[in-house]
Amino acid sequence: IPNNTEGTYFPRLNSELNGFLKPFKDEYDKIIQDRGYVESVLIDGASRAKEVSTPLIEKIRKAVGIKGF
C-alpha cells in the first residue's frame, strides 16, 4: 500500500461510506418527518409488550404472593 501523502484514501473512503449509508439515511429522514407514524409504531410496540408481559407478571406476583397493584 503506498503512503497516503496526497490524502487520497480518506476522501474515497468518505465517498464510499456515504454511498453505502445513503439508503439508510434517506429512510431515516422519511420516517422522522412523519411523527404520526413514529407515534403509532411506539404505541403498537407498547401494546404488544403489555400483552406479552401481563400474563408473566401475574404468574410472578402469584408465585411471590403479591396481590393488587
Side-chain angles (χ1 to χ4, degrees):
I1 297 176
N3 68 22
N4 190 26
T5 56
E6 307 88 42
T8 58
Y9 296 116
F10 181 75
R12 180 159 180 212
L13 174 63
N14 189 34
S15 175
E16 292 292 325
L17 272 173
N18 284 336
F20 175 77
L21 294 173
K22 185 174 181 349
F24 300 103
K25 183 181 180 323
D26 290 347
E27 186 66 16
Y28 170 81
D29 290 342
K30 185 175 88 177
I31 289 171
I32 207 68
Q33 291 300 316
D34 188 355
R35 289 186 61 101
Y37 172 73
V38 172
E39 191 73 24
S40 71
V41 168
L42 292 172
I43 290 170
D44 184 49
S47 176
R48 286 202 224 164
K50 190 172 184 177
E51 287 175 18
V52 171
S53 65
T54 298
L56 178 61
I57 298 289
E58 288 174 6
K59 284 181 183 178
I60 293 169
R61 286 182 178 161
K62 186 175 180 180
V64 175
I66 300 174
K67 297 179 183 176
F69 285 105

